[in-house]
C-alpha cells in the first residue's frame, strides 16, 4: 500500500522542518511513504526548505488560493500518483507526526474510509472558554447535519482511503473540513475518530 502525506503550507519555513522530521519513515502495512507539500503562495522560504529537505513533490500555487483549493489539488495529485491512503496534516506543526500510524490503522484494517484526529479541544489549555464552547457547538451542528459522530469537525489532521478520495468533492476554496464530513455521512462512508494531543 502507498501512503501520501500532504502538508498544505502558507509561509511555514520555520515549522515545516519540524513537521517533516516527525513523519514516520516506516509503518506496518505500508510499502511506500511519500510526502507532498502544497505551497499556497508562500512569500517566505517554504519552497526552498521543502526542496532542501527532499520532499517527493511540491505543488505550488501562484498566489493564495485557500485551504480548500490546496487540499483538493493535493488529493488530485495523490490519486494520480497511485496513493491508497492520503494523510493531511498542517505545516504549522500543530499535529504530532507520531500519530500518523494510528490515523491510518483503521483504513489499513478496512474499518474506516475516513479517520479524523480528535484534538480533544475541551482539554487544550490555550483555548479560551468561548473558543471551547464554539468548537463544541460547531462540531455538534456538523454531527447533526452529517448524521455522523465526529467529535472534532474542524480538525485538519485526517486520513482518507482511496475510495473516500474518489467520492468526496471540495466545494469551496476556503476549507474542506466540514463539507467533506457532511458528504461522507450522506454517502455512507465510515468515519472513525482517534484522540490525539496537539503540539
Amino acid at each position: 500500500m502507498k501512503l501520501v502525506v500532504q502538508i498544505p503550507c502558507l509561509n511555514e519555513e520555520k515549522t515545516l522542518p519540524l513537521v517533516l522530521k516527525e513523519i514516520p519513515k516506516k509503518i506496518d502495512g505500508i510499502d511506500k511513504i511519500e510526502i507532498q507539500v502544497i505551497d499556497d503562495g508562500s512569500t517566505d522560504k517554504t519552497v526552498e526548505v521543502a526542496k532542501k529537505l527532499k520532499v517527493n513533490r511540491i505543488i505550488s500555487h501562484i498566489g493564495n488560493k485557500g485551504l480548500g483549493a490546496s487540499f483538493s489539488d493535493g488529493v488530485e495529485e495523490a490519486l494520480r500518483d497511485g496513493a491508497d491512503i492520503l494523510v493531511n496534516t498542517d505545516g504549522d506543526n500543530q499535529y504530532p507526526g507520531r500519530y500518523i500510524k494510528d490515523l491510518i490503522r483503521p483504513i489499513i484494517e478496512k474499518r474506516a474510509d475516513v479517520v479524523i484526529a480528535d484534538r480533544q479541544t475541551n482539554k487544550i489549555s490555550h483555548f479560551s472558554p468561548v473558543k471551547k464552547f464554539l468548537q463544541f457547538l460547531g462540531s455538534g451542528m456538523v454531527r447533526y447535519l452529517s448524521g455522523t459522530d465526529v467529535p472534532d469537525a474542524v480538525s485538519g489532521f485526517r486520513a482518507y482511503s482511496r475510495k473516500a478520495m474518489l467520492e468526496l468533492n471540495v466545494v469551496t476554496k476556503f476549507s474542506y473540513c466540514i463539507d467533506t464530513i457532511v458528504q461522507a455521512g450522506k454517502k455512507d462512508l465510515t468515519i472513525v475518530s482517534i484522540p490525539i494531543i496537539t503540539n
Side-chain angles (χ1 to χ4, degrees), residues 26-168:
K26 285 186 171 184
I27 299 174
D28 287 344
I30 297 295
D31 303 305
K32 191 171 188 181
I33 301 171
E34 291 186 354
I35 301 169
Q36 63 185 26
V37 166
I38 298 96
D39 167 45
D40 194 26
S42 296
T43 55
D44 67 354
K45 296 181 179 176
T46 295
V47 172
E48 288 90 332
V49 169
K51 286 178 180 174
K52 182 179 178 183
L53 295 173
K54 296 181 170 54
V55 301
N56 299 93
R57 272 180 304 286
I58 301 169
I59 302 164
S60 290
H61 290 164
I62 298 172
N64 181 238
K65 305 294 184 194
L67 186 58
S70 295
F71 175 79
S72 182
D73 289 349
V75 168
E76 286 181 19
E77 188 62 35
L79 284 168
R80 271 194 296 269
D81 198 50
D84 298 294
I85 303 174
L86 174 78
V87 165
N88 189 85
T89 189
D90 283 354
D92 63 2
N93 199 36
Q94 177 185 175
Y95 305 116
R98 69 179 179 273
Y99 288 111
I100 289 174
K101 62 181 179 2
D102 302 318
L103 204 63
I104 67 171
R105 184 59 42 200
I107 295 175
I108 291 172
E109 294 174 353
K110 302 195 182 308
R111 294 186 288 112
D113 300 297
V114 179
V115 185
I116 301 175
D118 173 11
R119 296 170 295 169
Q120 306 175 83
T121 53
N122 61 320
K123 297 179 182 177
I124 297 177
S125 59
H126 64 271
F127 276 17
S128 69
V130 171
K131 185 167 184 175
K132 289 178 182 179
F133 175 72
L134 290 174
Q135 291 276 349
F136 171 78
L137 192 66
S139 290
M141 183 60 70
V142 173
R143 285 193 294 275
Y144 173 76
L145 291 171
S146 64
T148 66
D149 190 27
V150 176
D152 188 2
V154 294
S155 170
F157 193 29
R158 301 174 173 208
Y160 294 86
S161 68
R162 186 170 183 85
K163 177 184 177 185
M165 286 188 274
L166 289 166
E167 291 195 23
L168 299 176

